[in-house]
Amino acid sequence: MAPKKEKTEKGEKSASSEDGSAMILKYLKQQNRPYSAIDISANLHNKVTKAYTVKALKALHEQKLLECRVSGKQMVYHAVQEASSEATLDELAAMDDRITSLKEQLESVKVQEKSLKAELAVLNSRVSSTELLSQIGQLESRKDTLSDQLAHLCKETATDRIVTEEESNRVQINWATWKKHASLRKLACRELWLKCTEVLPDSVKSREELWESFGMEGEL
C-alpha cells in the first residue's frame, strides 16, 4: 500500500508543477457548466489527479474564481458567471430620460449656434479697424496729391490783375442779355420753320428729316 500512496503524491506534485489550477479554471470557463472533481479529472484525461483537483477546486472557490454548489452527495464547481449586461426597467427608464434631456439640450445648442452664426455674419460684413485706418491713410494721401495739383494750377493761371466786383456784374448782365436775344431768335426761327414746312415734299416724311437734310445744326 505504501508504494501506491507515493505514486499519488508524485501525481499531485506533477500537477502542481504544471499549474493544474490554471488548467482546471480554463476548462471550467470553456465548458461553462458545473463539474465534480471526479468528472474534471476524468475529462482532463487524468492530467490532474482527483485528490489534487479537490484541493485546487477548493482553493479556486476561496479565491472567488469558482462557484460551488451541492449536487446530491458531491460538490460541483463552475466558473463565476459574469454579471448580466441587460439593463433593468429602471435603468432603461433612466436612459430614456437622459436621451430626452440630451435632445432638448441639442435643440437649445442649435438655436444658439444659429444666433452666433448670424452675429458672426454681421461682424464679418463690417469693416475692421485696421482696414479703416488703411483707407483713411489712402484718402489723406490722395487729398495731399490733389491739393498739390490745385496749388500748381492756381499758380499757372494766376495774374497780377484782379477782377473787380463791378466788372463781374457787368459780365453777368451782358451774358443774360445775349442769352435772352438768343432765345428770342431761336423762337422766331422755329416759328418761321414751322410755317415753311406746313407742306413737305413727297420724298420727305417729317420736318426733322428735312432739317437734317439741309445740314442744320442744333435741335429744332
Side-chain angles (χ1 to χ4, degrees):
M1 296 298 293
K4 189 174 182 180
K5 184 176 180 181
E6 182 180 354
K7 182 178 180 181
T8 302
E9 291 176 352
K10 288 182 179 179
E12 292 177 6
K13 186 175 181 181
S14 175
S16 178
S17 63
E18 295 176 1
D19 200 3
S21 296
M23 185 189 306
I24 294 171
L25 180 60
K26 180 179 179 181
Y27 174 75
L28 289 176
K29 286 183 177 180
Q30 289 176 343
Q31 299 301 316
N32 195 26
R33 54 168 293 182
Y35 285 101
S36 65
I38 297 175
D39 294 333
I40 293 172
S41 179
N43 293 339
L44 291 176
H45 306 290
N46 294 320
K47 291 181 180 179
V48 289
T49 64
K50 175 186 173 182
Y52 176 84
T53 303
V54 171
K55 293 180 180 180
L57 290 173
K58 184 177 180 181
L60 291 171
H61 179 255
E62 290 175 352
Q63 297 172 19
K64 300 186 182 301
L65 297 176
L66 295 178
E67 292 184 359
C68 175
R69 68 178 67 176
V70 178
S71 177
K73 296 182 179 181
Q74 61 182 354
M75 306 291 290
V76 294
Y77 296 84
H78 61 84
V80 176
Q81 301 295 316
E82 295 182 359
S84 176
S85 59
E86 296 182 359
T88 64
L89 293 177
D90 292 339
E91 291 174 341
L92 291 175
M95 290 180 185
D96 290 338
D97 293 340
R98 178 61 175 166
I99 291 172
T100 302
S101 176
L102 290 175
K103 285 183 177 179
E104 293 175 353
Q105 293 179 22
L106 178 60
E107 292 299 324
S108 176
V109 170
K110 285 183 177 179
V111 172
Q112 186 178 6
E113 179 191 15
K114 185 177 180 180
S115 175
L116 291 175
K117 283 184 176 179
E119 292 181 9
L120 180 60
V122 172
L123 292 175
N124 288 335
S125 64
R126 296 177 180 174
V127 181
S128 64
S129 301
T130 304
E131 188 174 353
L132 282 174
L133 292 174
S134 176
Q135 292 180 2
I136 291 173
Q138 293 176 3
L139 291 174
E140 288 180 346
S141 177
R142 178 62 176 166
K143 183 192 71 173
D144 294 339
T145 301
L146 292 175
S147 297
D148 293 340
Q149 293 177 355
L150 179 60
H152 182 68
L153 291 174
C154 291
K155 184 177 180 181
E156 289 181 350
T157 58
T159 60
D160 296 333
R161 183 176 178 279
I162 299 176
V163 179
T164 63
E165 183 177 356
E166 182 180 356
E167 290 175 331
S168 177
N169 291 336
R170 185 167 59 252
V171 170
Q172 293 294 332
I173 293 172
N174 290 337
W175 165 252
T177 300
W178 285 108
K179 183 178 180 181
K180 182 178 180 180
H181 289 329
S183 298
L184 292 174
R185 290 180 180 181
K186 182 177 181 181
L187 179 61
C189 179
R190 185 174 185 278
E191 291 178 353
L192 181 60
W193 175 258
L194 292 176
K195 289 289 184 181
C196 294
T197 56
E198 287 180 353
V199 179
L200 297 173
D202 295 337
S203 60
V204 179
K205 296 181 180 180
S206 64
R207 291 187 176 94
E208 289 77 8
E209 183 179 350
L210 183 61
W211 178 272
E212 292 179 358
S213 67
F214 288 155
M216 306 296 288
E217 297 180 356
E219 296 181 357
L220 180 60

